[in-house]
Amino acid sequence: MLGYVFVCILATLSVPIFYRLAGFKRRDEVLWIEQREEQEYLELSKRLKEARKQLAKLDIDDGVRQAKQLNGLIDDYHSVVETRFLGKKHMPLEYLGAARQVQKQAVQNLSDMVTIGHSLSTIQSNTYDAEHGGADNNTRQDEMYREQEGRIQKLLDENHQMFDALTETAVEVANIDSFSKYERIDTLARLVSLSQVASNSGR
């Protein structure tokens, strides 16, 4: 009986080990990227287009500029994935996953700017009532307005950092002539770090 239990345990543990060593895990990861890339690209482009439209309506010019810049980064990334990586056995999965996660967070930041922009509009529309409600009310309105402006600036700064990391890493990726060298990309660690922060903030 004990021998039977031991064999069962050994067989159970050997499956994931064999799965990884035989290359099936890598193959499935590559297949997953191929299947997900087009869908994620279309979804991100749609969300970004809507965010840019709303930012323009709210006169958040810096947000509009970032939306335009991010659109270019996402388009370039999609083109690189399609032309250089899809269908290949060896793919820089760490770079591809990190870049996509950072792109998603940047789009989310722009969407958050839209929400904050609407709150700023609400505060502005209440300014008249605040002015007639006494100095305390007026001061509180000003404080809330400055707080919301600060939140937008923080999101803009975060996106700026992510755009720099995306651009710098993409340039290094474009200049690499061998798949074996992807792990030695100098800027990859920064991009991965940002993607981990983005992943944690999305929970």
Side-chain angles (χ1 to χ4, degrees):
M1 186 67 180
L2 289 175
Y4 176 75
V5 172
F6 176 76
V7 170
C8 289
I9 294 174
L10 184 63
T12 301
L13 294 175
S14 66
V15 170
I17 295 174
F18 177 76
Y19 176 75
R20 180 182 293 273
L21 292 178
F24 293 117
K25 182 176 185 294
R26 181 77 176 188
R27 183 198 63 187
D28 289 347
E29 288 175 340
V30 170
L31 182 61
W32 181 85
I33 287 178
E34 292 181 358
Q35 293 175 338
R36 292 290 297 174
E37 172 55 29
E38 186 67 24
Q39 179 183 348
E40 289 188 342
Y41 170 68
L42 293 175
E43 290 176 354
L44 275 179
S45 297
K46 181 179 179 180
R47 287 182 58 198
L48 185 55
K49 181 179 180 181
E50 181 59 28
R52 182 177 177 180
K53 179 180 177 182
Q54 293 297 320
L55 289 166
K57 286 184 178 180
L58 293 165
D59 294 324
I60 304 178
D61 295 335
D62 288 337
V64 174
R65 282 192 288 271
Q66 283 199 346
K68 182 178 180 181
Q69 183 180 358
L70 181 57
N71 186 74
L73 290 171
I74 291 175
D75 284 347
D76 289 343
Y77 170 88
H78 182 64
S79 296
V80 168
V81 172
E82 280 193 321
T83 59
R84 188 166 189 182
F85 300 132
L86 293 190
K88 303 294 193 305
K89 181 179 179 180
H90 300 288
M91 300 172 68
L93 298 179
E94 189 173 29
Y95 160 68
L96 296 175
R100 181 60 88 200
Q101 185 61 46
V102 169
Q103 291 166 9
K104 289 180 179 179
Q105 184 59 44
V107 173
Q108 183 59 52
N109 283 352
L110 290 171
S111 296
D112 290 345
M113 287 181 211
V114 172
T115 302
I116 297 170
H118 284 299
S119 73
L120 287 173
S121 296
T122 300
I123 294 172
Q124 284 180 320
S125 67
N126 291 333
T127 299
Y128 177 81
D129 293 335
E131 288 176 349
H132 291 75
D136 290 341
N137 284 345
N138 194 26
T139 299
R140 180 55 187 154
Q141 293 288 322
D142 290 341
E143 288 177 355
M144 288 191 297
Y145 196 89
R146 287 194 297 271
E147 287 174 2
Q148 295 299 77
E149 284 187 320
R151 289 182 62 195
I152 287 181
Q153 187 57 53
K154 181 180 178 181
L155 292 171
L156 289 169
D157 291 342
E158 287 180 1
N159 274 1
H160 182 70
Q161 292 178 11
M162 288 189 283
F163 291 177
D164 283 349
L166 286 168
T167 301
E168 291 169 7
T169 311
V171 169
E172 283 204 69
V173 167
N175 291 333
I176 286 179
D177 55 7
S178 172
F179 285 112
S180 64
K181 298 179 181 178
Y182 280 110
E183 295 180 357
R184 298 195 294 273
I185 297 176
D186 292 335
T187 57
L188 182 57
R190 179 186 177 199
L191 187 66
V192 170
S193 177
L194 287 171
S195 74
Q196 290 172 344
V197 172
S199 179
N200 292 332
S201 66
R203 292 177 182 174

